[in-house]
Amino acid sequence: MKALVYTGTHQLQYRDEPEPAVAKNEALVEIEAVGICGSDMHAYHGYDARRVPPLILGHEAVGLVQNGARKGKRVVLNPLISCGKCNYCLSGKSNLCLQRELIGMRRAGAFAQYINIPEQNLLEIPQDMDPVTASLTEPAATSLHVVYQAEKLLHRPLNECRVVVLGGGSIGVFAALILKHKGCRDIYLGDTNSLRRDAVEKLDFGTIYNPLDNNQPESGSFDLVIDAVGSGRTRAASCQLVKAGGVISHVGLQDNEAGLDTRRITLDEIIFLGNYTYSVPDLQATIDLLYCGALGSFDWVETRLLADGASAFHDIHEGKAASPKLVLIL
Ligand SMILES: [Zn+2]
Ligand SMILES: [Zn+2]
């Protein structure tokens, strides 16, 4: 089969690879479309010790089942493989399973013609669902999870809250689109890349700003700050922008530098909420949201062929890819 293989820092090769061997209780899925995630970029930059080359990356995938009880069905992959037996798994928090494992990390991912994956990680989708739309399920479910978790902690209903999202990648953009869908009317999004700001501006969900210029949103004015970057600088900005008693959702994983103002967090009773991935119900709810059009159309998503994946990674790295999401199709 053909696959896009990460072979070393800033190196990807589109080449022939052996077809995956399928174990008992696993499905073989022929991939139709697979998105490039920030975490794939992190590996490409050589920053992720868990992703050791040579490795097939990619986990935001949709495809066609080739074997077993669901042969012929179109599915989105739940890329988070969990044990299914621990207290976390049994209470619907499989994202916290101590044995969780993401495809494209230690085991092969989906930048390939075929992937093997446990049958329990398949989520059926409507047979006529557009493959690019379906491939957005994984990042959009991460954003849905953020909004659900934050909503439980906010003191006012979402439609009365002022929200700022830091970072206009797909997690940030989906968070903003979901907030708008849920009635939130006061949404800001900051991104330092001007191409990205222009692209996000067209989605028309709120005020887009450049965190590096003088025209900043008012400090201490936001009920909810979603940090979809996760750097020392965005953590510092989050602590400045949030209201007393407000919530910071930290969902980005860019670095582990200092930035949190723990004094302000304490004195102003700010809630700092870490968010990681999603539950299976979050994924299912997201498929419904995307399919019914509640988040609008996805003409803003850029697509390229898997065969051209190396140049797609290069362009994102150079800051030349304007769209918040780039999906590789087969
Ligand atoms: Zn992802
Ligand atoms: Zn478990």
Side-chain angles (χ1 to χ4, degrees):
M1 67 170 184
K2 289 288 184 198
L4 183 70
V5 185
Y6 164 57
T7 51
T9 302
H10 296 155
Q11 284 169 31
L12 288 164
Q13 276 177 25
Y14 184 70
R15 67 185 193 194
D16 286 309
E17 285 286 302
E19 255 185 48
V22 181
K24 196 167 169 268
N25 298 326
E26 279 191 346
L28 183 72
V29 178
E30 182 179 9
I31 302 295
E32 296 173 22
V34 47
I36 299 177
C37 178
S39 63
D40 296 318
M41 290 309 300
H42 208 61
Y44 175 76
H45 292 137
Y47 296 150
D48 190 342
R50 300 166 302 178
R51 289 171 164 97
V52 182
L55 177 69
I56 302 173
L57 300 166
H59 56 264
E60 303 178 355
V62 55
L64 188 66
V65 182
Q66 303 295 304
N67 63 329
R70 282 192 266 191
K71 186 174 174 181
K73 299 281 189 204
R74 295 183 67 227
V75 292
V76 156
L77 308 187
N78 171 6
L80 203 63
I81 298 169
S82 55
C83 79
K85 297 179 199 130
C86 70
N87 281 343
Y88 294 114
C89 286
L90 294 174
S91 61
K93 294 181 177 169
S94 50
N95 60 328
L96 304 183
C97 175
L98 297 179
Q99 292 179 50
R100 73 190 182 200
E101 177 101 52
L102 197 73
I103 61 170
M105 195 174 276
R106 267 182 288 260
R107 55 187 286 161
F111 290 143
Q113 270 180 302
Y114 295 99
I115 190 172
N116 60 317
I117 188 160
E119 277 177 339
Q120 63 177 26
N121 284 66
L122 305 179
L123 293 144
E124 280 183 39
I125 59 170
Q127 292 299 295
D128 63 344
M129 190 168 182
D130 167 64
V132 173
T133 302
S135 78
L136 304 173
T137 302
E138 198 267 354
T142 302
S143 309
L144 188 75
H145 185 72
V146 164
V147 174
Y148 281 166
Q149 296 287 104
E151 207 173 8
K152 290 185 222 163
L153 300 168
L154 289 164
H155 293 293
R156 303 294 304 169
L158 263 181
N159 60 2
E160 293 173 20
C161 285
R162 190 170 154 86
V163 184
V164 60
V165 178
L166 307 181
S170 58
I171 304 297
V173 165
F174 277 118
L177 291 173
I178 291 165
L179 287 162
K180 184 183 171 197
H181 167 67
K182 285 168 106 20
C184 188
R185 287 162 299 166
D186 201 359
I187 304 171
Y188 281 68
L189 185 143
D191 198 289
T192 53
N193 180 323
S194 65
L195 283 177
R196 179 65 63 75
R197 283 199 302 279
D198 293 344
V200 172
E201 195 96 50
K202 296 191 186 104
L203 305 184
D204 199 31
F205 52 69
T207 308
I208 312 301
Y209 72 97
N210 177 3
L212 302 178
D213 75 14
N214 291 327
N215 195 12
Q216 297 300 306
E218 197 187 332
S219 292
S221 72
F222 291 94
D223 302 274
L224 171 62
V225 181
I226 297 174
D227 182 352
V229 178
S231 69
R233 276 160 75 181
T234 54
R235 279 186 288 280
S238 302
C239 291
Q240 236 172 42
L241 292 164
V242 70
K243 253 186 200 173
V247 177
I248 297 170
S249 159
H250 191 261
V251 63
L253 282 168
Q254 192 173 94
D255 67 38
N256 219 358
E257 302 300 315
L260 277 190
D261 183 348
T262 51
R263 200 172 163 79
R264 171 141 206 258
I265 287 175
T266 306
L267 292 172
D268 283 345
E269 294 201 332
I270 287 155
I271 300 167
F272 184 79
L273 170 68
N275 286 124
Y276 180 69
T277 65
Y278 32 72
S279 65
V280 174
D282 291 335
L283 288 163
Q284 265 150 358
T286 304
I287 292 171
D288 292 344
L289 268 184
L290 295 171
Y291 183 66
C292 77
L295 304 183
S297 69
F298 301 105
D299 45 11
W300 51 271
V301 174
E302 186 182 344
T303 57
R304 299 199 195 176
L305 293 174
L306 181 70
D308 300 328
S311 67
F313 270 75
H314 181 77
D315 288 354
I316 298 173
H317 167 63
E318 299 267 294
K320 286 189 212 151
S323 174
K325 179 53 82 185
L326 207 155
V327 174
L328 301 176
I329 48 179
L330 285 93

